[in-house]
């Protein structure tokens, strides 16, 4: 990523678009989470994109869920992304059931398709994914208690396979906040969301000048 394109711009752009025109419309605390080859998020509070010190983009996909978990590309162990992304699903499946489903390396899409057909090994992998996705989301619920969390990204296209597991995990984990008031929804906008969000960011930055 070069200096002209800030880290997390894509997730932030979608978050802004969803906050303005999609799943977070009219909400004061909104979080967009994408689960695909990695996990990223953008947070919009009271219409403003949240950024940290010196404009740093928070790396929600790298908050640690299991200290002795798999080594993550960032160098830490057990990051959310190393447990609940598409590649994490595929890697766990290949390690746990070597050679299953196909002679070559299977990917997340093939595992979800096999879970759909009722394959018990794929089902176990998808249940595990749901638990870890749910744990990360439960942390966001406990930390921010937002009005809405919207979920997007390629893995979420198969969300019907693990949606219930996600909700069970949040219910079991978030004991001190009104988790039942936090709405968990699919992202509402399609592939045009990043472009719309980029336009929104531009307006935020330059529109009032
Ligand atoms: Zn990491």
């Amino acid at each position: 990523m070069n200096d002209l394109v800030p880290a997390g711009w894509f997730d932030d752009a979608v978050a802004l678009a969803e906050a303005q025109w999609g799943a977070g419309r009219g909400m004061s605390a909104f979080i967009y989470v994408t689960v695909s080859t990695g996990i990223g998020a953008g947070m919009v509070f009271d219409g403003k994109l949240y950024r940290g010190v010196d404009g740093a983009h928070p790396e929600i996909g790298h908050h640690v869920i299991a200290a002795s978990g798999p080594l993550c590309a960032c160098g830490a162990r057990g990051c959310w992304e190393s447990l609940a992304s598409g590649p994490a699903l595929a890697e766990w499946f290949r390690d746990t059931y070597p050679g299953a489903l196909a002679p070559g390396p299977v990917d997340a899409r093939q595992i979800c398709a096999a879970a759909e057909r009722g394959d018990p090994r794929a089902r176990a992998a998808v249940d595990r994914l749901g638990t870890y996705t749910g744990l990360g989301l439960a942390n966001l619920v406990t930390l921010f208690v937002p009005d809405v969390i919207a979920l997007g990204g390629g893995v979420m296209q198969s969300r019907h396979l693990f949606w219930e597991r996600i909700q069970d995990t949040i219910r079991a984990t978030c004991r001190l906040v009104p988790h039942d008031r936090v709405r968990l929804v699919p992202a509402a906008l399609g592939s045009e969301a990043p472009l719309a969000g980029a336009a929104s960011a531009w307006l935020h930055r330059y529109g009032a000048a």
Side-chain angles (χ1 to χ4, degrees):
M1 197 65 73
N2 63 44
D3 291 345
L4 294 174
V5 182
W9 70 273
F10 191 87
D11 299 328
D12 284 344
V14 178
L16 274 171
E18 288 283 349
Q20 204 154 346
W21 300 292
R25 198 171 168 185
M27 300 294 151
S28 64
F30 172 69
I31 301 178
Y32 167 74
V33 176
T34 178
V35 184
S36 58
T37 52
I39 297 182
M43 300 186 282
V44 181
F45 299 137
D46 296 325
K48 283 192 167 167
L49 190 65
Y50 175 80
R51 286 283 187 157
V53 63
D54 292 335
H57 173 75
E59 290 290 347
I60 285 171
H62 297 273
H63 82 276
V64 174
I65 300 265
S68 55
L71 188 62
C72 180
C74 75
R77 278 196 178 275
C79 294
W80 195 16
E81 178 172 307
S82 75
L83 291 159
S85 63
L89 169 71
E91 197 178 325
W92 182 84
F93 186 87
R94 292 194 298 260
D95 287 351
T96 311
Y97 307 110
L101 297 183
V106 291
D107 62 18
R109 196 183 299 254
Q110 289 169 297
I111 295 163
C112 288
E116 199 92 61
R117 295 193 302 269
D119 182 286
R121 300 160 300 183
R123 197 58 250 182
V126 162
D127 284 347
R128 177 181 178 274
L129 179 81
T131 298
Y132 281 121
T133 305
L135 278 175
L137 291 171
N139 289 342
L140 294 182
V141 170
T142 296
L143 288 167
F144 299 104
V145 207
D147 297 293
V148 174
I149 300 177
L151 296 164
V155 173
M156 281 299 153
Q157 286 176 8
S158 300
R159 62 184 175 273
H160 61 284
L161 292 171
F162 47 86
W163 195 255
E164 205 177 316
R165 177 66 70 112
I166 288 175
Q167 289 183 315
D168 287 348
T169 305
I170 291 173
R171 233 187 330 268
T173 309
C174 302
R175 305 287 180 128
L176 299 177
V177 295
H179 61 82
D180 51 333
R181 303 283 310 283
V182 178
R183 287 199 301 122
L184 195 66
V185 298
L189 304 178
S191 55
E192 76 281 10
L195 187 61
S200 173
W202 191 88
L203 286 170
H204 271 84
R205 185 171 293 189
Y206 301 112

